[in-house]
Amino acid sequence: MGQPDAGDPPVQRPARSHRLLIIGSALVALVALALVAVVSFRWGASDTPAVLPTVSPEPTAVEELTAKEVYDTVAPSVVIIEALDAGGKTTATGTGVIASAQGVILTALHVVKGAGGVRVTFADGTQSAATVRAADEEIDVAALAAATLPQIVVPAVLGSSGRLSVGDGVVAVGNQLGMVRSATTGVVSGLDRSATGTGGLRLSGLIQFDAAVNPGSSGGPLVNTRGETVGIVVALANPTTAGTFIGIGFAVPIGAAAAAGGGDGPQQ
């Protein structure tokens, strides 16, 4: 080939990187066109909105509460129970739990049995005389009716003891040894247990647990990790005469306890 004439403009060859950029841009455009064609083929013409497949969410497991959250849930429903003699002196203390919007309080019968009077103290400090509304000696449960209720009544959430399994976490709240509204944690140790209650009465169908309970805990709520009351504490096991906790406590399932307080039993 001859040299270009002097009057011709010089010929500029594109740099290699510039050529690669042009080729790359062309390839991107071709890929984009191909994707549009595939989408049009799969989902219809461009004037038909694409319907994307949906994914059903997995069922969400029930979230378990911490011990603090369980306590915070049930604490407004926990009541201090005092059995009084004829002169108004406290002879025994125990625990109760508000079990209905009407203010019915479930507790252990042995705490108030034979008392000359009963006084209850609600979580907000309201104090009131109370009477036994109903009782079932076979399971050691009583239902109390207070003469005066707090301005705001906070009933506990009642669960189902039938859903309990050995190893499930539980929290016991009570006034053990005079230390009011104490919370202890543990697990369900056994189901459908039998035990000797206060006064020698043989109790059956009980929940066995290892959250610490002591004198004064009787009548308090046993609560699962969803904040639901599943039992009423009625007894503990100790081979000595000390009457203190060695790792085995018992509660009446809440279904049986609530049934005991459901009728219009004789006032005691």
Side-chain angles (χ1 to χ4, degrees), residues 84-182:
L84 311 175
D85 63 15
K89 182 180 179 180
T90 300
T91 58
T93 60
T95 309
V97 61
I98 302 173
S100 76
Q102 292 71 41
V104 174
I105 301 166
L106 293 179
T107 188
L109 176 59
H110 72 259
V111 174
V112 297
K113 187 176 180 181
V118 178
R119 180 168 58 220
V120 296
T121 304
F122 294 92
D124 70 347
T126 299
Q127 286 192 336
S128 174
T131 53
V132 177
R133 179 178 182 271
D136 188 337
E137 190 165 3
E138 290 188 0
I139 58 173
D140 194 18
V141 169
L144 307 182
T148 303
L149 292 173
Q151 186 174 3
I152 299 176
V153 175
V154 184
V157 177
L158 304 186
S160 172
S161 55
R163 296 172 59 185
L164 287 177
S165 298
V166 173
D168 285 351
V170 287
V171 175
V173 180
N175 306 311
Q176 53 183 319
L177 300 176
M179 291 176 279
V180 299
R181 296 186 177 87
S182 297

Side-chain angles (χ1 to χ4, degrees), residues 24-66:
S25 299
L27 288 175
V28 169
L30 289 174
V31 171
L33 289 173
L35 288 174
V36 170
V38 170
V39 170
S40 297
F41 174 76
R42 292 184 62 188
W43 304 112
S46 59
D47 59 350
T48 303
V51 180
L52 298 177
T54 58
V55 178
S56 300
E58 293 293 329
T60 303
V62 177
E63 183 178 356
E64 292 192 351
L65 305 179
T66 65

